[in-house]
Amino acid sequence: MEQNSFTFPMARSFKILRRSIHSFINNYNYTTTSLLLAFPFSSALLFSQFFLPSSPLFLTIHNHLNSLFEAAGFPPSSQLLFTIFNHYISQTITSSILVLPFTLSFLLISKASIILDFLHDHQQQKPSFASFLSIYNSILSTQICNSLLILSANASCFSLLFIAFSCLEASGYSSASSLLFLSATGAILYSIILGNSFIVCNLALVTSGMDKSGGFSAILKACVLIRGWTTTALALAIPVNMALVAVEALFHYRVVRAFNPASSSTAFEGIIIAWLYTIIVVIDTIVNYKFFKSCKRGFRIDEEGGYAYLVRIEGQNGKTVEELPLSSKDADNFI
């Protein structure tokens, strides 16, 4: 018997990804503007790899984080793991600071233009600049709140790892195998927490643009919308992020390593790779929009303006659906 598509998050994610790519190709005349807007951000992010290793900002952040870890009293058994984390976070923070002007301007403007195109997809009249400005202001405030959320997620992970390693040291079972197991578990836990945080942040940006209300309220709405769709969200985020990482690695291998001596062909190749990175960034925004629409299908507005959350409970026929109604007041607080 054929299973319902709700049973397979991978099938749902593949369907959303396929529709997103189809929408990107089918509306390429509209997405070209978004590509041109996002291209400076992609170029700045990729070319920042030239300055990261020798950047005074990177060295300063790395030394400050190292001093912070030492002052926190992390046990010696966790030194290797936190050295890796320190280097990774220092690179991430430095790169984020270097490209911050491009993120808050070109990237968010590109995302706002994509959301605006989808909002006025079936309208003949062109969207006004005031509507675009309203969307941009909403996602700008949400982006700032997203940064605070990511910082909080990192701090929570380090706190949990500190407690875990301290308990292991105090118990006296700090053997090589137990340290390796705890380090691997900590890395997996860190990836899961950070991955879910990024998923919520990306969905919050689309939510704020669609509802034109930014800030932490958009993050709360994203948390409600993603309920029951976490596996699908992870299945969508993995291929997109793997593609971004692959392009970054390709840029590092083909451009950064081959830049000395520099040549015009190397610079041209860097531009092509940056354009490829831009395409993935735009597709990622479309994927988040399609995922937002899929999550919204889990909610419906009743005749009186209230909401009902659809809890999908699979029966023997695979089609049983139970509705748990919410009052209009509760719905306004969450959706």
Side-chain angles (χ1 to χ4, degrees), residues 56-72 74 86 89-90 93:
L57 180 61
F58 170 76
L59 298 176
T60 302
I61 294 175
H62 186 275
N63 293 332
H64 276 76
L65 287 177
N66 192 37
S67 301
L68 180 63
F69 291 152
E70 292 179 356
F74 285 101
N86 186 14
I89 294 178
S90 300
I93 295 176

Side-chain angles (χ1 to χ4, degrees), residues 206-238:
V206 177
T207 303
S208 62
M210 297 295 293
D211 297 339
K212 297 182 181 180
S213 61
F216 287 107
S217 61
I219 297 178
L220 293 177
K221 292 178 183 178
C223 292
V224 174
L225 284 174
I226 206 174
R227 185 171 52 184
W229 292 77
T230 307
T231 307
T232 304
L234 288 173
L236 284 172
I238 289 175

Side-chain angles (χ1 to χ4, degrees), residues 141-151 201-202 204-205 219:
S141 59
T142 305
Q143 178 67 25
I144 296 174
C145 296
N146 285 345
S147 301
L148 298 177
L149 177 62
I150 297 299
L151 288 176
C201 290
N202 289 332
L205 285 176
I219 297 178

Side-chain angles (χ1 to χ4, degrees), residues 38-103:
F39 181 73
F41 162 78
S42 302
S43 302
L45 181 63
L46 293 176
F47 281 96
S48 65
Q49 296 183 21
F50 287 102
F51 312 103
L52 280 180
S54 59
S55 173
L57 180 61
F58 170 76
L59 298 176
T60 302
I61 294 175
H62 186 275
N63 293 332
H64 276 76
L65 287 177
N66 192 37
S67 301
L68 180 63
F69 291 152
E70 292 179 356
F74 285 101
S77 58
S78 62
Q79 183 177 2
L80 178 60
L81 179 63
F82 283 98
T83 299
I84 298 174
F85 280 163
N86 186 14
H87 185 76
Y88 168 75
I89 294 178
S90 300
Q91 280 190 332
T92 303
I93 295 176
T94 305
S95 179
S96 300
I97 293 176
L98 291 177
V99 302
L100 182 62
F102 297 90
T103 302

